[in-house]
Amino acid sequence: MDSEKGGDSESYKRSTLLDINGVPFPSDMINGWGAIWNFKARPDDLLICTYPKAGTTWIQEIVDMVQHGGDLQKCARAPIHERMPFIEMFLPKLNFSGVEEANAMASPRTLKSHLPVQLLPPSFWEQKSKIIYVARNAKDNVVSYFHFHRMNKTMPEPGTWEEFLETFIAGKVALGSWFDHVRGWWEAKDRHPILYLFYEDMKEDPGREIRKVAEFLDIQLPESVLNQIVLHTKFERMKVNPMTNYTTMPSSLLDHSISPFMRKGTVGNWKEHFTVAQSERMDDLCVQLLKGSGLSFRTEL
Ligand code: A3P
């Protein structure tokens, strides 16, 4: 989103959620849904897809660095949300449409989405566009999403932590159930070119995961470039980089004084939010709802 298109962002109101095929979306996105569903993917598109707050920005910066051979200047050409259009984002009051931004972009494009697998525009499957999916454990993911609701004025009011956790478990947050999202994309990787990564693995050994990205994109990475990418995409670096930390957006939209976009960047911050009972309940839900999928998450390193 171009920060200069701020328009009357001062008067931007928190959104309500409305359903598309049973999945809640901010109401503005519903108005843009026809254009999203009919989105024309191209065979050489790369789509980065995640549940919100799973490490999207991190993998975006990694991918941009890999694509540009670790060239720092090229990766500083624009804020990350301008380098990679967010296809389902639609903010009519700010005159912003992710579909239009993507349509105007020359190939090869790298795009961003948070759509659950069943709502991905069909052209991505038809064109066999490559997809990188990043999943993050439910506990850290929901904590991050809670703080993001607090600071992002386009999201609904989160309520208290206890209330938000209930809403998240019920799948009544924007983009729906985390369980369905991570599972749906996990199952899709068996029938489509999808690289499925985990936030926890990226924290544990970023070099190893960056190598997977380069292989998936058929890009050779000399050791020195790999090391440069590891360094540049560390949390501490990305937190102070205006091209990745979302501080170029109007503060009436993202209020970093409430909670910074680059907040903690760790595995295990959930321990400062969950009670023992909440933690046990989430563990049980993961066992129950991910059963039979072969999908499992680490909640600490
Ligand atoms: P926290 O709120 O737990 O700190 P997204 O980009 O999908 O919105 O995800 C944001 C989350 O990823 C935030 O988590 C943010 O701090 C974290 N993050 C962003 N860049 C990161 C990096 N380089 N390393 C680790 N975590 C990162």
Side-chain angles (χ1 to χ4, degrees):
M1 193 176 320
D2 188 336
S3 35
E4 283 167 16
K5 281 193 207 155
D8 60 351
S9 58
E10 291 304 327
S11 61
Y12 210 86
K13 294 281 179 300
R14 284 182 175 273
S15 57
T16 48
L17 299 179
L18 293 173
D19 274 16
I20 297 175
N21 292 352
V23 179
F25 278 83
S27 49
D28 275 344
M29 285 193 204
I30 310 263
N31 298 326
W33 182 250
I36 296 162
W37 184 248
N38 292 311
F39 183 78
K40 298 269 174 291
R42 304 172 191 161
D44 56 359
D45 282 342
L46 172 67
L47 180 69
I48 292 177
C49 193
T50 57
Y51 190 81
K53 311 317 289 177
T56 327
T57 317
W58 188 12
I59 191 70
Q60 283 180 278
E61 189 66 6
I62 287 173
V63 165
D64 203 37
M65 282 289 278
V66 169
Q67 289 170 332
H68 291 95
D71 186 321
L72 292 175
Q73 274 183 344
K74 284 189 181 151
C75 294
R77 67 194 180 282
I80 193 77
H81 56 272
E82 290 176 24
R83 285 180 265 158
M84 300 179 183
F86 182 8
I87 58 169
E88 70 268 23
M89 180 53 78
F90 185 62
L91 294 170
K93 275 187 91 176
L94 302 188
N95 194 23
F96 178 83
S97 153
V99 169
E100 281 176 20
E101 294 244 316
N103 287 345
M105 190 171 252
S107 292
R109 306 180 294 187
T110 302
L111 309 168
K112 163 187 163 180
S113 175
H114 291 314
L115 291 170
V117 73
Q118 72 278 18
L119 293 181
L120 188 74
S123 61
F124 284 99
W125 309 122
E126 291 156 12
Q127 298 297 329
K128 300 188 170 52
S129 320
K130 285 185 183 179
I131 300 174
I132 297 180
Y133 186 85
V134 179
R136 185 181 196 183
N137 80 77
K139 292 177 182 175
D140 283 321
N141 207 143
V142 61
V143 167
S144 185
Y145 210 9
F146 171 63
H147 290 293
F148 186 62
H149 276 69
R150 294 174 57 234
M151 64 90 70
N152 183 339
K153 300 303 172 57
T154 72
M155 302 300 280
E157 286 283 355
T160 63
W161 158 245
E162 290 74 16
E163 287 164 350
F164 187 77
L165 180 61
E166 289 308 316
T167 316
F168 178 87
I169 286 173
K172 303 273 186 225
V173 290
L175 280 312
S177 158
W178 173 92
F179 304 97
D180 292 349
H181 208 285
V182 296
R183 186 175 181 144
W185 279 103
W186 178 254
E187 287 165 357
K189 76 178 176 9
D190 299 334
R191 45 178 199 272
H192 191 89
I194 297 172
L195 176 67
Y196 197 106
L197 300 173
F198 293 90
Y199 181 99
E200 295 74 26
D201 293 348
M202 290 164 62
K203 274 308 277 192
E204 180 181 66
D205 189 344
R208 180 188 62 205
E209 301 307 303
I210 292 168
R211 225 177 257 118
K212 287 185 194 168
V213 169
E215 269 169 36
F216 183 68
L217 300 180
D218 300 315
I219 294 173
Q220 297 286 330
L221 269 195
E223 198 67 14
S224 58
V225 175
L226 176 72
N227 294 338
Q228 165 82 318
I229 299 175
V230 170
L231 192 67
H232 174 74
T233 57
K234 273 186 184 306
F235 176 74
E236 294 72 17
R237 287 276 184 105
M238 286 184 54
K239 188 177 170 70
V240 295
N241 179 356
M243 296 298 116
T244 55
N245 66 13
Y246 280 93
T247 54
T248 57
M249 303 273 284
S251 60
S252 52
L253 221 61
L254 298 184
D255 188 344
H256 297 263
S257 70
I258 295 177
S259 178
F261 184 94
M262 294 287 169
R263 197 182 56 89
K264 298 279 180 187
T266 58
V267 178
N269 179 243
W270 61 269
K271 291 176 190 171
E272 287 171 29
H273 294 74
F274 277 70
T275 64
V276 171
Q278 286 170 340
S279 170
E280 287 175 357
R281 180 157 165 238
M282 189 60 103
D283 289 342
D284 288 348
L285 281 166
C286 284
V287 169
Q288 200 185 307
L289 297 173
L290 302 179
K291 197 172 170 187
S293 65
L295 182 56
S296 66
F297 287 86
R298 291 187 288 169
T299 55
E300 54 197 331
L301 291 179

